Amino acid sequence: QVQLVESGGGLVQPGGSLKLSCKVSGNAGSIYAMGWYRQAPGKQRELVAKITNVIISDDITTYSDSVKGRFTISKDYSLGALYLQMNNLKPEDTAVYYCNAESGRRRGLGYDKESDFWGQGTQVTVSS
């Protein structure tokens, strides 16, 4: 089992910054990707940023177009931590932010996902 716990959310004014943290515990040896997702009321959960580790390659980092240039995802596997630095926050960034981890088996150049793990979320509210 893998457990994910998010922290760092809160209320911030437009243009402000927050840094989210995700702490990983349990059997994390089979995790090959981690990311941040968010969900606002009445909307589908969407990808914010993701780090995927693939064989014969460095980590691949992807961002939603809506956060490019403003958010930065980073990790420290040795500490069991994933971070999301959010700068120049906008009201449309308001959502519950969830940490995600994918676990699976290596297949060829990638992985077969076996499990998705989710934290319970942390609320980010951007308002004046």
Side-chain angles (χ1 to χ4, degrees):
Q1 286 283 326
V2 174
Q3 294 83 43
L4 307 175
V5 180
E6 305 96 335
S7 63
L11 175 64
V12 64
Q13 293 184 327
S17 298
L18 285 173
K19 186 176 182 179
L20 305 183
S21 298
C22 174
K23 299 298 183 181
V24 184
S25 62
N27 184 11
S30 61
I31 293 175
Y32 61 86
M34 294 190 69
W36 291 95
Y37 293 73
R38 66 186 182 187
Q39 186 169 22
K43 297 182 179 180
Q44 295 293 111
R45 187 172 299 185
E46 65 173 344
L47 173 69
V48 177
K50 184 177 181 179
I51 300 174
T52 302
N53 177 248
V54 299
I55 59 175
I56 319 178
S57 177
D58 292 334
D59 289 353
I60 298 174
T61 302
T62 59
Y63 294 90
S64 167
D65 288 341
S66 64
V67 307
K68 284 183 178 178
R70 299 189 297 120
F71 291 11
T72 303
I73 188 171
S74 61
K75 64 175 176 61
D76 191 331
Y77 286 156
S78 67
L79 298 178
L82 182 75
Y83 307 100
L84 184 68
Q85 177 66 50
M86 305 184 294
N87 298 325
N88 191 24
L89 283 160
K90 303 176 179 180
E92 53 262 42
D93 295 319
T94 297
V96 177
Y97 284 70
Y98 297 91
C99 180
N100 167 260
E102 296 179 32
S103 177
R105 303 177 179 88
R106 179 185 292 177
R107 283 290 190 185
L109 300 180
Y111 300 87
D112 289 336
K113 183 167 69 176
E114 184 174 38
S115 300
D116 262 314
F117 301 95
W118 298 91
Q120 69 177 34
T122 184
Q123 177 72 49
V124 172
T125 302
V126 185
S127 176
S128 60

